[in-house]
Amino acid sequence: MHTCTLQHRTYGFADLAEVLAKASPERSGDRLAGIAATSAEERVAAQLVLAELPLTIFLEQPVVPYEEDEVTRLIIDSHDRDAFAPVAGFSVGELRDWLLSEAADAETLAALAPGLTPEMVAGVAKLMRVQDLILAASKCRVITRFRNTLGLAGTFGVRLQPNHPTDDPRGIAASILDGLCYGCGDAVIGINPATDSVDNIRRLLEMLDQIRDRYRIPTQSCVLTHVTTTMEAIRCGAPVDLCFQSIAGTEAANRSFGVDLALLAEAHEATLALGRGSLGDNVMYFETGQGSALSANSHHGIDQQTLEARAYGVARRFRPLLVNSVVGFIGPEYLYNGKEIIRAGLEDHFCGKLLGLPMGVDICYTNHAEADQDDMDALLTLLGAAGCTFIMGVPGADDIMLNYQSTSFHDAAYLRRLLGRTPAPEFQRWLVEQGIVNAGDGRLQPIRANSRLLSLPEGWL
Amino acid sequence: MTRRPVQIEQTAEVADALEFAEMKASPVTADPWAELRQFTDARIALGRCGASLPLAAVLELRLAHAQARDAVHLPLAIDQLAPELQTLGLQTLALHSAARDRAEYLTRPDLGRRLDGDSRAMLKKRQPTNGCDLALVIGDGLSSRAIHENAVAFVREFIGLCAAHTPFALGPVCLVRNCRVATGDEIGELLGARLVVMLIGERPGLSSPNSMGVYLIYAPRIGTSDEARNCISNVRAGGLPVGQGVRKLAYLVEEALRLQTTGVNLKDRMQADYLPFCPKPALPGRD
């Protein structure tokens, strides 16, 4: 039992899970789960309690039981005590203050990452204001490699997302060319397929590989299908660069996605064995999102932000090239409006980075959420300031297959222009060679109608 | 002496000069791949001013989003729908889910899946009856516009087919505000319906603010799981036309009654020459 006594009353919280849930900034998903603070004062009382809790409590009292959940076992068993040592005596509140101090720099934070657990990071995020989440995350440097180098200081990556409602190769190719001409695609060229059959996945993988090869683009491709389908495609000899999977923060939620840690390990091994990365061997791509465990009815009474951080605990086991939260996709019953989506996006980015992940965000919303393009602009700009590794690039922000609004190629160009960021260096060199951006200031150049980029292989157009 | 037009060689410098002249005329840099738009509805080749989106494209997206938003928040026009359905010879009932308003509806799917007390009492008052073969439920879902534009035409065609070919006992048509797909389970259970056909507004996309979903549930009960439903999606002008949706529904209804189930065990194997509710010709040598 944890208590907080204010002048006129005392608040009691039965356990760590209740403190975490009630200390969470307001969001509809925690209300839907029936675990949110019932008043503004109770929320702050929970934060006062949380600030005083020692970090070691997260190791002693797992919020999801060790015996019942393999994600908890992964978190506890892989915890690095030596890395944890510098902050072992801290309370959650002291960790917040230290993260903002000059003592916490890129090297210190990188060394600390294996010593932090997802729950510690989730806890400290609940105490932080938006500017704290931005500043602390901006200090983290996470670099990953496959055919280029992602996450270097001063860079900002984009996943080119050329989805099409019927997976039409010409429609997909048209969107890819559009995105490349706007300097997008360094993080990955990644398709969400409309049809998950192995034949279709193979066809899309081969098409992406041909485009990449034809234009000698220093990037990687991915078709975002279930790991078992990707493994089947690998067995059939398809050109798989990255292996994708949606993951969540509990064993039961992952099971609802049709995966467990053993299956992910098997997929990781199978993809590594292909050895297709020329610069590095980060071969996994994970997507996550607050609310996924609740929507799968497997949240164990834990708040959605803490469970989201636990999903990052799963991700980091597999040294991914890319991880992103799809922050506004799940709908208003989990994140109601622009304010909740913005806060959640910054929390997710901060937690991922602090845990040592190459964290991007799919800055997005659905038409039944109380949000619009202005909210996405705000989150995009804040995430740019926070040093977000990558965002999505969707033609005109309108994904015609998944029916939601994400960020556009123009949004990525805006952010690079505003903050002076460049794509991954290998990709940037290619953009200069193609005449897409200027070698000097990196700005977009007018594309000539006879550009080789615009001539697609025979049979596609 | 006639002057011949000067031939200018199309060098890269000339192209640049022409391009520059064009740029001076408009701050928008056009994308010379507009012809690729023939291959996709994605918003490609929008051009740019600097790095940013030209205003025309900004306003186009804003309009599409406004239409989708309005579709979510427009109240279901029961007062207009009910008389139109009654002229088809149908009884109607106006019901409400337990979600009191739109904000609660959007954040509490659990409340949207159940009827409010008054609606439940109204349905219970109708008992005891002998049930019905098929109950039609029309719910706003996430787009009232989808219902306003498609539902009456769909019902007219469907009951026309039924009247011509099958002696269905139809229950009253329930019109439900703040309705989710599962609300039909409780309604079907209270009406003692063998089948519920639910017409409901789907989550609006930017290019489809008016798309209607049609769900079919055999032996509906509170707690029926989603795997036990069949769905026909995207019924609208520009999507699946009403006539085709009705034909598909007739097929699924026939199959559901034959197999006494809906959902994952009812596969859509409709043949191209399927004739709704027609006696199937006996195969030669089988009678």
Side-chain angles (χ1 to χ4, degrees), chain A residues 28 31-32 163-165 168 170-175 177-178 181-182 329-334 336 365-374 395-398 400 402-405 408-411 413-414 417 436 444-449 454 456 460-461, chain B residues 11-13 15-16 19 23 29-33 35-54 57-58 61-62 64-65 68-69 72-73 102-111 113 142 180 203-208:
Chain A
S28 50
R31 283 203 304 276
L32 179 61
N163 297 343
H164 187 277
D168 177 67
R170 295 173 305 176
I172 289 171
S175 289
L177 292 182
D178 195 70
C181 288
Y182 277 83
F329 188 74
I330 193 162
E333 59 268 48
Y334 301 92
Y336 183 59
Y365 66 106
T366 59
N367 290 321
H368 60 319
E370 295 290 318
D372 60 20
Q373 292 298 114
D374 286 345
D398 173 11
I400 57 171
L402 294 172
N403 265 324
Y404 76 124
Q405 284 92 263
S408 66
F409 303 139
H410 291 76
D411 290 331
Y414 146 80
R417 167 81 179 73
I436 294 170
L444 292 169
Q445 302 282 91
I447 307 279
R448 288 180 197 288
L454 300 181
L456 281 176
W460 285 358
L461 298 183
Chain B
T11 60
E13 289 73 26
D16 275 346
E19 217 153 42
M23 276 196 295
T29 306
D31 293 331
W33 56 91
E35 63 182 40
L36 296 183
R37 281 198 209 122
Q38 66 184 301
F39 302 118
T40 177
D41 291 332
R43 291 167 199 254
I44 62 168
L46 299 176
R48 57 188 174 84
C49 22
S52 300
L53 208 55
V58 172
L61 188 98
R62 193 174 293 164
H65 183 236
R69 297 286 296 149
V72 171
H73 290 278
R102 231 32 203 168
E104 189 168 73
Y105 173 75
L106 290 172
T107 50
R108 292 292 303 273
D110 52 328
L111 295 177
R113 290 185 197 116
L142 286 166
R180 291 199 181 252
R203 194 175 95 178
L206 286 188
S207 53
S208 55

Side-chain angles (χ1 to χ4, degrees), chain B residues 177-208:
Chain B
R177 282 220 172 102
N178 290 340
C179 181
R180 291 199 181 252
V181 173
T183 322
D185 302 341
E186 184 172 12
I187 294 171
E189 181 175 335
L190 288 171
L191 289 174
R194 286 173 74 198
L195 277 171
V196 159
V197 171
M198 157 80 80
L199 310 184
I200 192 162
E202 296 185 321
R203 194 175 95 178
L206 286 188
S207 53
S208 55

Side-chain angles (χ1 to χ4, degrees), chain A residues 83-84 86-87 98-99 101-116 139-141 354:
Chain A
F84 180 60
V87 298
W98 179 83
L99 285 171
S101 76
E102 299 304 340
D105 58 17
E107 292 77 47
T108 326
L109 289 171
L112 176 64
L116 295 176
K139 299 186 195 185
C140 298
R141 189 98 355 265
L354 215 56

Side-chain angles (χ1 to χ4, degrees), chain B residues 40 43 66 88 111 115 130 137 153 168 200 241 269:
Chain B
T40 177
R43 291 167 199 254
L88 302 176
L111 295 177
L115 291 171
N130 294 323
V137 180
F168 273 156
I200 192 162
R269 297 194 180 96

Side-chain angles (χ1 to χ4, degrees), chain A residues 264-310:
Chain A
L264 291 174
E266 202 183 319
H268 184 212
E269 288 304 319
T271 314
L272 272 178
L274 298 175
R276 291 173 56 88
S278 51
L279 292 187
D281 67 349
N282 301 112
V283 297
M284 299 302 283
Y285 174 15
F286 294 116
E287 279 192 340
T288 64
Q290 292 192 24
S292 57
L294 174 57
S295 95
N297 238 331
S298 45
H299 61 99
H300 296 264
I302 309 302
D303 69 272
Q304 65 186 36
Q305 190 251 331
T306 300
L307 292 179
E308 173 70 6
R310 282 169 54 97

Side-chain angles (χ1 to χ4, degrees), chain A residues 93-132:
Chain A
E94 284 167 336
L95 178 62
R96 180 265 177 200
D97 290 348
W98 179 83
L99 285 171
L100 298 172
S101 76
E102 299 304 340
D105 58 17
E107 292 77 47
T108 326
L109 289 171
L112 176 64
L116 295 176
T117 67
E119 290 86 350
M120 292 176 193
V121 171
V124 76
K126 294 175 196 299
L127 301 178
M128 294 171 95
R129 286 168 52 187
V130 158
Q131 63 164 272
D132 304 345

Side-chain angles (χ1 to χ4, degrees), chain B residues 268-280:
Chain B
D268 179 3
R269 297 194 180 96
M270 189 175 87
Q271 303 288 311
D273 59 353
Y274 165 72
L275 290 173
F277 298 128
C278 282
K280 303 293 173 275

Side-chain angles (χ1 to χ4, degrees), chain A residues 207-225:
Chain A
M207 175 204 171
L208 286 176
D209 205 49
Q210 281 168 26
I211 291 182
R212 187 186 59 74
D213 189 54
R214 175 181 169 85
Y215 299 117
R216 305 253 165 246
I217 313 171
T219 191
Q220 36 282 331
S221 63
C222 186
V223 176
L224 286 74
T225 186

